[in-house]
Amino acid sequence: MIALAVLVAAAAGWLWVAPLPGLSRLAATSVRSRAAPSRVLSWLPAAVLGTVAAAVAGWAVGVAFGCVGATATWVLGRNRRRREAARQRAEVVRACQLVGGLLGLGQVPAEALRAAAARAPVLAEAAAVQTLGGEVAEVLRRASVRPGWEGLRELAAAWRVAEQTGASMAATLTAVADRLAAELTLRATVEAELSAPRATGRLLALLPLAGLGLGYLLGGDPVGFLTSSWFGQLCLALGAALGCAGLVWTELLADKHGG
């Protein structure tokens, strides 16, 4: 039973701090048609973990392993997507600054877009369409629906106004870049403030493992109780489910206030 407790703790800790092999590459894609299958595959290790644990140690242990694995996968996936969106927002700000700076130096919009796209991949599709004579503003508007690329919507609006009126985009894009940079700084500040509540929620979710260790120090056999009787198994499954639900709730609250 002690070995089983150690195994549960080790598996939970590993799922908590270590990215699952290959999932970062699967979830990193920004193409929606690939993102959905990647997210489905990301739940496979949790399902396998729960199934194997149930076959080896009983249904309650399987439920506990499955809940912990699914919650850890969910939290890691959200953290990964949050970091990627923040990185993309910084890239959009840099792209707007590049285009605005090149326009300020006297380059025409088409040349400025091509030159900026060489250093800012978020503009690569728009530059390719512009070379073929397509509508740059429409491409930028469609691209703005991707996570972290929301700022391209303002670049698209400025581009369309410039095309329709012939007005200069240099000052407009400079203002857009400054506003997006300020928003990026604000988001970073909010994320830093929310890191403490998130860490507290994760620590509280791990406290039951400390309780198991304390039970053994006091001479008891908590794992034996949780796995050998129907009441203990019910407590184990329900406790794992409620603990994971509490962590998910904490993460959702933090995301809601983080915007």
Side-chain angles (χ1 to χ4, degrees):
M1 292 304 178
I2 296 177
L4 179 59
V6 173
L7 179 61
V8 172
W14 176 76
L15 284 168
W16 198 259
V17 301
L20 298 172
L23 295 185
S24 58
R25 292 189 296 273
L26 288 170
T29 177
S30 60
V31 182
R32 289 190 171 187
S33 60
R34 296 181 181 178
S38 298
R39 293 185 184 181
V40 171
L41 287 175
S42 69
W43 295 98
L44 183 60
V48 172
L49 182 63
T51 303
V52 172
V56 172
W59 69 271
V61 177
V63 170
F65 266 82
C67 287
V68 171
T71 304
T73 299
W74 182 79
V75 171
L76 289 172
R78 288 177 73 88
N79 288 346
R80 192 180 300 114
R81 291 189 293 272
R82 189 185 301 115
R83 290 193 299 268
E84 179 62 19
R87 189 182 71 82
Q88 293 298 335
R89 289 189 186 99
E91 287 295 317
V92 169
V93 171
R94 190 168 73 93
C96 291
Q97 291 172 339
L98 285 172
V99 176
L102 292 172
L103 290 174
L105 293 176
Q107 291 192 13
V108 298
E111 294 177 354
L113 182 62
R114 284 195 297 269
R119 299 172 58 186
V122 296
L123 298 176
E125 184 179 357
V129 170
Q130 190 273 332
T131 302
L132 298 175
E135 295 188 11
V136 173
E138 181 61 22
V139 174
L140 293 173
R141 187 191 64 79
R142 289 200 304 266
S144 66
V145 302
R146 299 175 183 175
W149 291 27
E150 299 87 357
L152 291 181
R153 188 179 297 108
E154 297 187 36
L155 176 58
W159 196 279
R160 188 177 298 279
V161 169
E163 286 182 333
Q164 293 176 349
T165 66
S168 173
M169 285 194 299
T172 302
L173 285 187
T174 299
V176 168
D178 291 342
R179 194 195 69 77
L180 292 178
E183 180 182 344
L184 191 65
T185 301
L186 178 61
R187 283 179 177 270
T189 302
V190 172
E191 283 296 319
E193 293 293 333
L194 290 175
S195 61
R198 286 195 175 101
T200 301
R202 296 169 190 178
L203 179 61
L204 290 175
L206 293 175
L207 283 182
L209 296 178
L212 293 179
L214 182 61
Y216 279 108
L217 289 177
L218 296 176
D221 184 14
V223 173
F225 166 74
L226 292 174
T227 56
S228 61
S229 66
W230 70 267
F231 184 71
Q233 292 174 350
L234 181 62
C235 289
L236 175 59
L238 187 60
L242 290 177
C244 292
L247 177 58
V248 170
W249 184 39
T250 302
E251 291 286 332
L252 291 176
L253 284 176
D255 287 346
K256 178 180 179 181
H257 289 83

